[in-house]
Amino acid sequence: MNLPGNICCSATDLPMVIARVGQWARSSPPGEAMADRALPTFTDAAAVGRWIDFMAEQASFEAEQENLPYRDFSNAVKKAAPLVLRVTDSAQPAFIIVIGLVGKSLIVVGRNLEKVRLNCNVLRDFLFRRQQSAVLPEIEGLLLHARVGKHRRRNSLQILLEERLADHRISGCWILRRRGGANIWRHAQDVQLPNRFGRLMVSYAAAYVLWLLSWWVLGCSALQGRFDTGWIGVWALLLLTMIPLRLFATWMQGVTAAGAGWVCRQKLLHATLQFNPDEMRSHGIGQFLGRALELEDIETVGFSGGVLGIVALLELAAAAVVLGMGAAPVPELLLLLGWSGGVFLLLLHYFRRRRQWTGLRLEMTHDLIERIVGHRTRIVQEVPDRWHAGEDETLENYLLASKRMDQMAAMLTAFGARGLMLLSMVVLAPGVISGSVATFSIAITVGGVLIGSEAIRKIVTSMMQMADTAIAWQRIQPLLAVDTQSSSIAGDFQTPGEPNKYTSHSGQLIECRDVRFQHRGRPEPVLQQCRLNVFRGDKLLLEGSSGSGKSSLVAILAGLRPPDSGLLLLNGLDHQTLGRSGWRRKIAAAPQFHENYVFSETFAFNLLMGRKWPAATEHMQEAEAICKELGLAELLSRMPAGLMQVVGETGWQLSHGERSRLFIARALLQDADMVVLDESFAALDPDNLRRCVDCVLKYSKTLMVVAHP
């Protein structure tokens, strides 16, 4: 099966096409076509992936490789779009860019940068043509033998194909996701938050208008002294119409809250991953837990409170309109305005007390988490008399802040709505007593007062909920604003027939000149006027006493910490030019044991986390070979699932030496230009040490080993 010729673009056209997708998604600025980029040499599938990663980053996307299934292909494409599909079996690399799905038709980008419709089943059959050709003769023979009629044969054939090819997937697919550091408004647009919020407000407003009309109908009938069947029917119809609107509004509120929570969590995760080691070390685990809890407040309490507040403002406006038609419009409106202003001032006072109370609560939470984490150390090393030092004072301050906050909350809850009703009746009383006000006007005024009181009650409830949200937002907003720039460079790729212009002709890999670094809070720098030249193929041993700056130099070389001053070049380029990701792709480091980690995932994931995941078959084979050369063959044979065995805190427990060899293998498998091992051999016995040294020398292109003398 063939595809239309105008939907496949070449590698030369790919930059312009991805840039156009970025413009349609409002991700990249107009006119950024990147047409002047040199075409790379596609030596293997990994080179194609790096090229797509680079093009995606230029358009403010992140390219994530994915395998698309045969079964439910249309839904998989719809969830993944926009995505890049590589066309196999072509002399030159060719690609199809899908930007969406409408019904059963895909929207793809044509060669002329226009949107073209393509049947989803046609694309599926083209991509899986090899798998289909392998099973089609058997299925057709089965249908012929079963004497299935022609009018049913097509559907039966497709059903059997889906059953036979259900587990088959195709590679060569890259999902274009918006970069995590993009503006939060862009992420909100991706999940259609503005549209959902607009529908939510319209449904609430419509339901509220129907509610007012129902009371107006009921009031007119009551004041006329009779209830006609027609009026009762209209009243019942209005109430019944409100039910689906209320249900739709509740559903939209949940959907919108879930989308807002997804955006906030994605931004928080992205910001947390941008921390440098020193900043990460200055934050305890309790603070990270506190941020997660604060995000929960924003996602649930904050959103529901915000919606309630908007509804309350609508009711307050409706109350003002109703009071304007009542018995004493000017005094009642002035009273409503003054009382609302007074309640708002009290709410500001409550907010300050709530913020003080929240600060004390979070401090206690952070301290509790840190004490739990270090409980064993405290029992062994700390004097028992100091185990509870300062706890009484902290609790006393917390109780005092709680009391003051609760008093203000009780005052607002008790008198916020009731006070307005009481004062409104006092203003209305002279006219009622004198009899100068019509009964109809009194009824309208009472209705307006009831609506205004209910609005004030909702405003108080909403603002109390929003107080926690505002406090939480103040704490995590700097994190949500974190942004990162593109980190790839064109030097990762090579134009055919042309040497890589970013490779030093002298063979020098790293140039370190007059580098200075000082830890935060330390009086003296740990590195000063540091000079180092590393050439390709060098095997270096760096020795020094504790505190001499070995690990700091490793962190600087690996791009984990920036130097305070001096010149540091990799292949003749500085860190700003290469970017964080580009630098770390060139230098792989295995930090000291206490700064490395085994994640609660499969052994293969922990090995290959420096590469694309899920891993290709050849990567798994390479990882297994390196593990065997490092002496981990016995470990793999003991684990029931082999490389796919879950390890870490909740899985298979690894010894100190096994963890060290895992960290070494992780660094080697990144296929970097240089590998730096910081005291990675300290926990190994002589036999394993000899085996690991031989393996490291074999697989590393350039090597630096840090050890104690």
Side-chain angles (χ1 to χ4, degrees):
M1 180 174 293
N2 296 324
L3 294 175
N6 64 330
I7 67 169
C8 294
C9 66
S10 63
T12 307
D13 300 328
L14 186 61
M16 293 186 296
V17 176
I18 293 182
R20 177 57 60 90
V21 175
Q23 294 171 17
W24 285 335
R26 300 179 182 178
S27 182
S28 60
E32 191 177 333
M34 302 175 287
D36 58 341
R37 299 293 183 183
L39 183 67
T41 301
F42 294 117
T43 56
D44 53 16
V48 177
R50 290 195 297 270
W51 174 247
I52 293 177
D53 287 343
F54 171 61
M55 290 295 102
E57 287 186 1
Q58 302 308 305
S60 298
F61 285 119
E62 293 177 348
E64 178 183 350
Q65 194 163 4
E66 185 62 78
N67 299 329
L68 293 180
Y70 183 87
R71 175 180 286 179
D72 207 15
F73 179 81
S74 60
N75 286 335
V77 172
K78 182 178 180 179
K79 294 178 181 178
L83 74 159
V84 179
L85 300 172
R86 184 183 180 186
V87 179
T88 57
D89 301 335
S90 58
Q92 296 295 331
F95 305 91
I96 300 174
I97 289 80
V98 181
I99 60 176
L101 178 69
V102 179
K104 292 186 178 181
S105 297
L106 295 172
I107 307 299
V108 301
V109 184
R111 286 183 178 177
N112 298 325
L113 304 182
E114 77 281 6
K115 297 179 180 180
V116 180
R117 284 181 176 266
L118 176 66
N119 187 276
C120 186
N121 294 333
V122 172
L123 179 61
R124 179 200 61 194
D125 294 340
F126 175 79
L127 296 175
F128 288 91
R129 59 191 182 279
R130 284 187 176 182
Q131 294 86 341
Q132 286 186 354
S133 61
V135 299
L136 266 178
E138 179 184 351
I139 296 177
E140 289 177 345
L142 177 62
L143 295 177
L144 184 62
H145 180 72
R147 298 180 180 180
V148 178
K150 291 184 178 180
H151 63 284
R152 299 178 57 188
R153 184 171 300 176
R154 185 175 180 180
N155 292 336
S156 301
L157 179 64
Q158 185 58 46
I159 293 173
L160 291 177
L161 276 175
E162 290 183 357
E163 290 297 327
R164 291 293 302 273
L165 302 180
D167 297 331
H168 286 73
R169 292 174 174 266
I170 57 167
S171 57
C173 309
W174 290 267
I175 302 174
L176 300 180
R177 302 187 187 278
R178 192 178 297 276
R179 187 163 49 89
N183 187 280
I184 192 171
W185 176 249
R186 300 297 189 197
H187 288 285
Q189 288 178 321
D190 287 343
V191 294
Q192 299 180 349
L193 275 185
N195 294 336
R196 293 176 180 177
F197 189 77
R199 295 172 189 170
L200 174 63
M201 291 295 99
V202 169
S203 59
Y204 263 117
Y208 193 74
V209 169
L210 293 178
W211 180 76
L212 288 177
L213 288 176
S214 67
W215 277 105
W216 178 79
V217 169
L218 189 64
C220 290
S221 300
L223 292 174
Q224 291 176 4
R226 57 189 179 86
F227 290 91
D228 293 337
T229 305
W231 285 107
I232 295 177
V234 172
W235 176 69
L237 182 61
L238 291 172
L239 293 180
L240 290 175
T241 309
M242 287 174 55
I243 296 176
L245 286 175
R246 289 288 188 182
L247 292 176
F248 178 77
T250 303
W251 177 72
M252 285 303 304
Q253 182 174 340
V255 171
T256 310
W262 181 86
V263 172
C264 291
R265 290 177 187 280
Q266 184 186 42
K267 293 291 293 183
L268 183 63
L269 177 61
H270 168 79
T272 303
L273 293 176
Q274 306 310 310
F275 281 153
N276 59 52
D278 291 334
E279 191 175 2
M280 180 73 75
R281 196 173 289 112
S282 65
H283 293 74
I285 187 174
Q287 294 189 17
F288 288 105
L289 177 62
R291 289 194 180 102
L293 296 177
E294 290 162 2
L295 189 61
E296 188 74 18
D297 288 338
I298 295 177
E299 180 181 353
T300 55
V301 178
F303 191 82
S304 60
V307 172
L308 182 63
I310 294 176
V311 173
L313 292 177
L314 293 176
E315 291 186 359
L316 198 63
V321 173
V322 174
L323 289 175
M325 298 183 297
V330 175
E332 293 288 353
L333 287 176
L334 291 176
L335 176 62
L336 179 64
L337 180 62
W339 189 261
S340 300
V343 169
F344 181 74
L345 293 177
L346 291 177
L347 285 171
L348 289 179
H349 194 47
Y350 169 82
F351 174 77
R352 288 193 291 268
R353 293 188 178 183
R354 184 78 178 185
R355 182 169 55 186
Q356 180 185 6
W357 174 83
T358 303
L360 294 174
R361 177 179 60 83
L362 291 178
E363 288 180 7
M364 294 174 61
T365 302
H366 301 164
D367 183 67
L368 176 62
I369 297 297
E370 297 295 337
R371 288 173 182 266
I372 292 175
V373 173
H375 178 64
R376 293 183 178 179
T377 303
R378 294 185 66 217
I379 291 179
V380 174
Q381 298 182 359
E382 192 175 19
V383 179
D385 295 341
R386 295 185 51 83
W387 285 355
H388 305 288
E391 292 181 358
D392 293 339
E393 292 81 359
T394 302
L395 287 174
E396 184 177 354
N397 293 334
Y398 175 75
L399 290 175
L400 179 60
S402 300
K403 182 179 180 181
R404 297 177 59 198
M405 181 189 67
D406 291 341
Q407 288 176 347
M408 183 59 65
M411 182 184 301
L412 285 168
T413 304
F415 299 104
R418 296 181 179 89
L420 176 63
M421 186 180 300
L422 179 62
L423 292 178
S424 297
M425 293 300 102
V426 171
V427 172
L428 186 61
V432 175
I433 295 174
S434 63
S436 59
V437 181
T439 305
F440 188 81
S441 299
I442 296 175
I444 292 177
T445 302
V446 172
V449 170
L450 292 175
I451 296 175
S453 299
E454 181 65 16
I456 294 294
R457 185 191 67 80
K458 290 181 179 179
I459 288 176
V460 171
T461 303
S462 170
M463 293 301 294
M464 286 183 175
Q465 294 177 354
M466 291 296 293
D468 286 337
T469 303
I471 295 169
W473 181 259
Q474 289 178 354
R475 294 177 178 272
I476 70 172
Q477 193 274 335
L479 292 176
L480 299 181
V482 169
D483 191 9
T484 55
Q485 301 298 325
S486 298
S487 55
S488 295
I489 62 167
D492 289 341
F493 314 102
Q494 186 174 349
T495 305
E498 177 184 339
N500 193 335
K501 60 183 178 180
Y502 293 106
T503 300
S504 175
H505 296 289
S506 64
Q508 182 170 282
L509 181 65
I510 291 181
E511 180 181 359
C512 181
R513 188 190 310 164
D514 297 331
V515 167
R516 181 184 184 276
F517 180 77
Q518 182 174 352
H519 289 286
R520 185 183 303 175
R522 301 284 183 86
E524 297 293 334
V526 66
L527 293 176
Q528 193 166 6
Q529 294 184 345
C530 178
R531 292 174 174 264
L532 175 67
N533 291 322
V534 180
F535 293 86
R536 295 182 179 276
D538 284 351
K539 312 294 181 182
L540 305 177
L541 174 63
L542 179 62
E543 294 183 333
S545 59
S546 297
S548 59
K550 304 187 302 298
S551 297
S552 299
L553 178 60
V554 169
I556 292 174
L557 294 178
L560 298 175
R561 291 190 178 98
D564 296 334
S565 61
L567 178 67
L568 181 63
L569 300 177
L570 173 60
N571 283 332
L573 299 175
D574 59 10
H575 191 280
Q576 184 176 2
T577 303
L578 284 170
R580 179 181 299 177
S581 299
W583 188 284
R584 292 182 182 177
R585 277 199 299 267
K586 300 293 184 182
I587 299 182
Q592 290 186 2
F593 192 87
H594 66 278
E595 292 188 351
N596 228 324
Y597 194 75
V598 178
F599 292 91
S600 298
E601 254 289 352
T602 62
F603 195 73
F605 175 83
N606 280 278
L607 287 170
L608 296 167
M609 57 184 299
R611 288 192 175 184
K612 289 289 185 181
W613 189 263
T617 304
E618 56 270 20
H619 295 165
M620 297 287 287
Q621 295 173 350
E622 182 183 357
E624 185 174 4
I626 289 181
C627 286
K628 290 180 178 179
E629 294 193 36
L630 290 173
L632 294 174
E634 182 182 352
L635 172 66
L636 293 177
S637 64
R638 291 201 317 267
M639 294 191 296
L643 286 175
M644 302 309 295
Q645 179 67 44
V646 176
V647 297
E649 297 298 331
T650 60
W652 195 278
Q653 299 299 314
L654 303 178
S655 66
H656 197 144
E658 291 168 345
R659 284 173 174 250
S660 297
R661 282 174 282 177
L662 168 62
F663 300 150
I664 295 173
R666 179 188 293 170
L668 294 176
L669 286 167
Q670 294 183 41
D671 193 27
D673 291 347
M674 179 177 177
V675 175
V676 184
L677 304 178
D678 192 358
E679 299 185 13
S680 299
F681 303 128
L684 301 179
D685 58 83
D687 292 337
N688 283 320
L689 174 60
R690 188 180 305 107
R691 186 182 292 112
C692 290
V693 170
D694 293 339
C695 179
V696 168
L697 292 174
K698 175 182 177 181
Y699 285 98
S700 59
K701 302 173 184 177
T702 305
L703 176 66
M704 174 183 288
V705 176
V706 179
H708 285 288

